[in-house]
Amino acid sequence: MAVTYLCNSSVRGCHIYQSVWSAEEGENLVCKREMSNPRDNYAVIVVKSDQTVGHLAWKISRLCSLFLGKGGSITVTVTGRRQCSVDLPQGGLEIPCILTFLA
């Protein structure tokens, strides 16, 4: 029996990937572990058609990475337009989304 959990989150780093992705509300994307990230052993990328389009927030990436490593899947559903981050002191842009965890 599959178990599903939803939570509000955001896709970070969209300014870096804006040349390859323009978010559309309702769009579904996939999360994958980014094992080669030199700064974060638990980084989780957001992928569209095998192209990285962002990352999950550092605050939740460890939990998400471990979940993915145990065979779970995480889907990202875009819920809004690009906005300024509220929890980064240096600012930054993020795209609001809902994460769907499927175990």
Side-chain angles (χ1 to χ4, degrees):
M1 179 176 159
V3 176
T4 303
Y5 176 76
L6 305 174
C7 80
N8 292 318
S9 188
S10 61
V11 177
R12 298 275 172 89
C14 54
H15 62 286
I16 296 170
Y17 303 103
Q18 65 186 351
S19 65
V20 295
W21 179 56
S22 180
E24 295 182 27
E25 195 165 338
E27 183 174 16
N28 290 315
L29 309 163
V30 176
C31 289
K32 294 182 179 180
R33 296 170 78 191
E34 186 181 32
M35 306 299 287
S36 62
N37 189 312
R39 294 184 182 179
D40 183 0
N41 293 332
Y42 299 100
V44 176
I45 56 174
V46 179
V47 177
K48 178 180 180 177
S49 303
D50 292 324
Q51 176 73 43
T52 300
V53 296
H55 286 83
L56 294 186
W58 179 83
K59 289 194 289 186
I60 64 167
S61 65
R62 184 179 198 126
L63 171 72
C64 293
S65 180
L66 294 172
F67 181 80
L68 291 167
K70 294 292 184 182
S73 67
I74 304 172
T75 303
V76 174
T77 303
V78 176
T79 59
R81 299 177 70 197
R82 186 173 66 174
Q83 62 190 21
C84 290
S85 174
V86 294
D87 66 344
L88 292 173
Q90 73 274 21
L93 297 173
E94 62 187 14
I95 296 171
C97 66
I98 294 175
L99 299 180
T100 303
F101 293 78
L102 181 60

